Amino acid sequence: MNSDRSGWKSNIGFLLAAIGSAIGLGNVWRFSYMSFEYGGGAFLIPYLVALVVAGLPIMILEYGIGHWQKGSAPLSLARIDHRFEWLGWWMPVVAMMGIMLYYSVIIGWCVNYFCYSFTLAWGKDPEGFFFKQFLELSDSASHLGGLRVPIVFSTLLVWISCWAICFRDISHGIEKTSIVFMPILFVLTIIMVAWSVSLDGAGNAIINHYLHADWNKINLFASDPAKAKAAGEVWAAAFGQIFFTLSLGFGIMITYASYLPDKTDIVKNALVTSIVNCLYSFIAGFAVFGIVGFMAKSQGVPFDQAIKSGPQLAFVVYPKAISLLPGMNSIFGVIFFLMLILAGLTSGVSLIEAFACAVTDKFGLSRRKVVSILCGAGFAGSLIFTSRAGLYLLDIADHFITNYGLVCGGALECIVIGWVLKARILRSHINRHGTRLPAVWDFFIRFSTPAILVFLFSLTINDDLSKNYGGYHTDQLILFGGGWMLICLLLALALAFAPWKAGKLVRRHEPEEDELLV
Ligand code: PHE
């Protein structure tokens, strides 16, 4: 079956591609900022707990499904139970429409800033440069204000690069690219870390703000209810970050694992992917804290006023710090933005692959045709984020997709596999080769992981209903957040109801009860 399906040339190629998907823009700025905000070294505790009780079990689940059913998310889920094909579509649709459309624009910004680094074009006021000259940010999310031409060009370049990578089959495209890009990314990161920690003021910032643990911030049992509630938010954020950083809930890992050979150690691969990803975030944090510490010291401002959240960390704080460096400023900027471009591209192609593979699986179209149409349409779709309101729109889309779309996808995946299929059937498949998966995994998939995700979901809904996210107007949130999600859902349903090309939906062997290795 599926002998036409090409595959990874080597396990290391697969691992580098999966790690490439996991390591993205979020590892560099999202993790560092969260550590700072949520208790420094103490944040590692909820982060690691989230990794063990949700991240790893779902990573193994996704690898297991893809490897067992040898298909993209919709094909695999349809083979398991056709009633859940829509869920298989929901995940890659959210990946493509929900994330990639704006993720490509942020990689585009990195391309612009990579060029600006050569001349330190942001000058003395990087904040004014970013918002007023570069984005020309409009006054509200509903006021698009036309497209920003430099961003349109860089975004086009990003889509062309992704197209060139995804166009070829998996081993010649994504695998080869990852084998080249990922080692370069690791080397650049090590250079950045070594350089940053040697700067004046870096050591203090790292010790006092990054590694120093503020245990109160994670204490769920604090006697003061307000403190306990705040600690709850920290735990929720840690789970959200683990999901996002491991690229779970998009069907990406299902798709990547579908190209693996029969004899594969799934558990080991999942462990390596997750550990390398999280270690990368931790190490990259030294570079971020080092340089922000240096900047704070040279400007004589407290550290907590120097650091900023989200994109501002990369596009305002970093440029500011780069300009202050005693020498070789340009190289520092060039390396930093190149790092982001490489990390972003290897994540971007995985988002496209999850959707492209799903379409080729179902409709039997050629990969080249699907990827070309998808990248063309994707570029057109991302234009809205290159408008002068782009920053607002991507902030809203990101909030809804990561907090609702992803968490829903992950929870439903657990419920379908845990309850409808029965987790132990999948476990018995996973246990056919390599490291054995203990029975406690069933418990995670059936009970704890979905329960935690549902709890997270309710926390965010509660929060969003009590105050408008980011201070946006209600109609803007409904239109750009809720509306976006609704379009994704409708598209997923339409694709699920479309007929399969003959011969594509053949079920794979399901182990009999007495074959189960439980
Ligand atoms: N994991 C990537 C990051 O941390 C982002 C991403 C999410 C990529 C989902 C692909 C899918 O930045």
Side-chain angles (χ1 to χ4, degrees):
M1 172 182 315
N2 272 310
S3 51
D4 57 330
R5 203 179 182 81
S6 68
W8 305 104
K9 279 232 163 63
S10 63
N11 199 59
I12 184 79
F14 158 74
L15 274 175
L16 286 174
I19 293 169
S21 169
I23 295 181
L25 304 172
N27 292 61
V28 183
W29 68 55
R30 215 159 175 255
F31 176 79
S32 301
Y33 184 76
M34 286 187 141
S35 297
F36 166 70
E37 176 93 351
Y38 297 137
F43 179 68
L44 287 176
I45 303 283
Y47 185 75
L48 290 177
V49 170
L51 173 65
V52 172
V53 308
L56 254 177
I58 299 192
M59 173 83 75
I60 295 172
L61 173 93
E62 293 207 355
Y63 278 175
I65 298 177
H67 183 255
W68 182 32
Q69 296 297 341
K70 295 250 174 299
S72 56
L75 177 58
S76 295
L77 280 169
R79 278 178 173 164
I80 288 170
D81 186 329
H82 68 275
R83 288 172 301 169
F84 298 105
E85 186 191 332
W86 69 271
L87 174 61
W89 279 108
W90 163 254
M91 297 192 280
V93 166
V94 163
M96 183 69 202
M97 301 250 314
I99 305 242
M100 187 54 190
L101 294 193
Y102 73 78
Y103 205 76
S104 58
V105 177
I106 306 184
I107 308 172
W109 295 353
C110 297
V111 173
N112 292 117
Y113 267 71
F114 172 78
C115 302
Y116 297 154
S117 298
F118 287 95
T119 56
L120 305 184
W122 46 77
K124 292 221 154 40
D125 175 20
E127 188 160 356
F129 180 84
F130 180 59
F131 290 112
K132 298 204 184 89
Q133 264 168 276
F134 178 62
L135 297 178
E136 292 187 4
L137 196 60
S138 69
D139 49 8
S140 103
S142 351
H143 183 206
L144 296 187
L147 304 183
R148 285 288 295 126
V149 176
I151 305 180
V152 172
F153 277 111
S154 56
T155 305
L156 177 63
L157 197 68
V158 171
W159 279 102
I160 292 177
S161 315
C162 290
W163 169 80
I165 298 170
C166 292
F167 186 71
R168 312 194 61 197
D169 64 30
I170 198 85
S171 63
H172 293 96
I174 294 184
E175 181 170 3
K176 268 206 178 135
T177 312
S178 308
I179 288 177
V180 176
F181 279 16
M182 294 312 288
I184 300 180
L185 176 65
F186 293 142
V187 172
L188 293 182
T189 310
I190 291 169
I191 295 175
M192 278 304 273
V193 171
W195 197 343
S196 311
V197 298
S198 68
L199 294 169
D200 190 25
N204 254 343
I206 291 170
I207 293 168
N208 296 330
H209 297 280
Y210 190 35
L211 302 179
H212 171 80
D214 180 355
W215 300 109
N216 289 326
K217 287 215 171 153
I218 62 161
N219 183 4
L220 289 169
F221 307 103
S223 47
D224 177 354
K227 284 207 175 123
K229 183 168 181 277
E233 278 166 27
V234 174
W235 282 81
F239 275 85
Q241 171 64 2
I242 275 291
F243 242 75
F244 185 77
T245 193
L246 294 179
S247 306
L248 298 173
F250 294 102
I252 293 175
M253 296 307 180
I254 299 184
T255 312
Y256 274 12
S258 74
Y259 297 115
L260 280 169
D262 274 343
K263 280 197 181 156
T264 297
D265 191 334
I266 298 212
V267 176
K268 194 163 116 203
N269 278 333
L271 276 169
V272 173
T273 317
S274 328
I275 292 173
V276 173
N277 172 72
C278 295
L279 212 58
Y280 181 91
S281 293
F282 182 64
I283 292 173
F286 283 84
V288 174
F289 277 74
I291 195 144
V292 179
F294 157 75
M295 189 184 93
K297 175 143 194 224
S298 44
Q299 291 194 318
V301 294
F303 184 87
D304 37 10
Q305 280 173 29
I307 195 163
K308 294 232 160 59
S309 67
Q312 283 206 62
L313 190 55
F315 299 103
V316 175
V317 178
Y318 241 87
K320 206 185 269 177
I322 289 168
S323 299
L324 290 171
L325 285 174
M328 299 199 283
N329 316 47
S330 308
I331 305 181
F332 207 97
V334 167
I335 295 185
F336 177 69
F337 288 107
L338 184 60
M339 234 171 82
L340 289 182
I341 294 170
L342 295 179
L345 278 181
T346 45
S347 296
V349 290
S350 72
L351 290 160
I352 298 175
E353 171 64 27
F355 194 74
C357 178
V359 175
T360 43
D361 273 354
K362 179 153 188 174
F363 302 106
L365 300 168
S366 88
R367 177 184 180 86
R368 297 185 165 208
K369 199 186 269 172
V370 171
V371 167
S372 304
I373 296 174
L374 220 55
C375 288
F379 170 64
S382 48
L383 286 178
I384 186 160
F385 295 106
T386 65
S387 71
R388 286 176 173 75
L391 182 67
Y392 301 127
L393 300 182
L394 68 87
D395 186 29
I396 298 176
D398 179 64
H399 173 75
F400 276 80
I401 299 292
T402 46
N403 288 296
Y404 297 114
L406 259 183
V407 173
C408 268
L412 289 171
E413 225 176 18
C414 289
I415 292 167
V416 170
I417 300 298
W419 294 91
V420 182
L421 171 76
K422 303 273 184 289
R424 66 200 178 107
I425 295 189
L426 183 59
R427 182 158 53 84
S428 79
H429 170 80
I430 293 171
N431 276 340
R432 287 195 332 196
H433 302 289
T435 315
R436 274 185 71 86
L437 184 58
V440 64
W441 179 78
D442 297 12
F443 174 80
F444 281 135
I445 293 300
R446 301 184 70 173
F447 301 98
S448 61
T449 313
I452 291 168
L453 294 178
V454 169
F455 174 68
L456 280 187
F457 191 81
S458 64
L459 265 187
T460 327
I461 285 208
N462 220 341
D463 228 40
D464 278 355
L465 291 179
S466 65
K467 62 176 189 304
N468 277 8
Y469 168 74
Y472 296 102
H473 288 298
T474 311
D475 48 354
Q476 291 169 346
L477 290 175
I478 293 177
L479 190 67
F480 297 117
W484 203 264
M485 301 262 293
L486 189 66
I487 294 175
C488 289
L489 185 61
L490 291 177
L491 184 63
L493 289 174
L495 286 163
F497 280 111
W500 284 83
K501 179 155 190 252
K504 285 278 170 188
L505 186 59
V506 183
R507 292 196 76 181
R508 287 178 60 83
H509 166 72
E510 216 171 88
E512 302 296 332
E513 276 295 306
D514 56 359
E515 277 184 75
L516 296 179
L517 308 168
V518 282

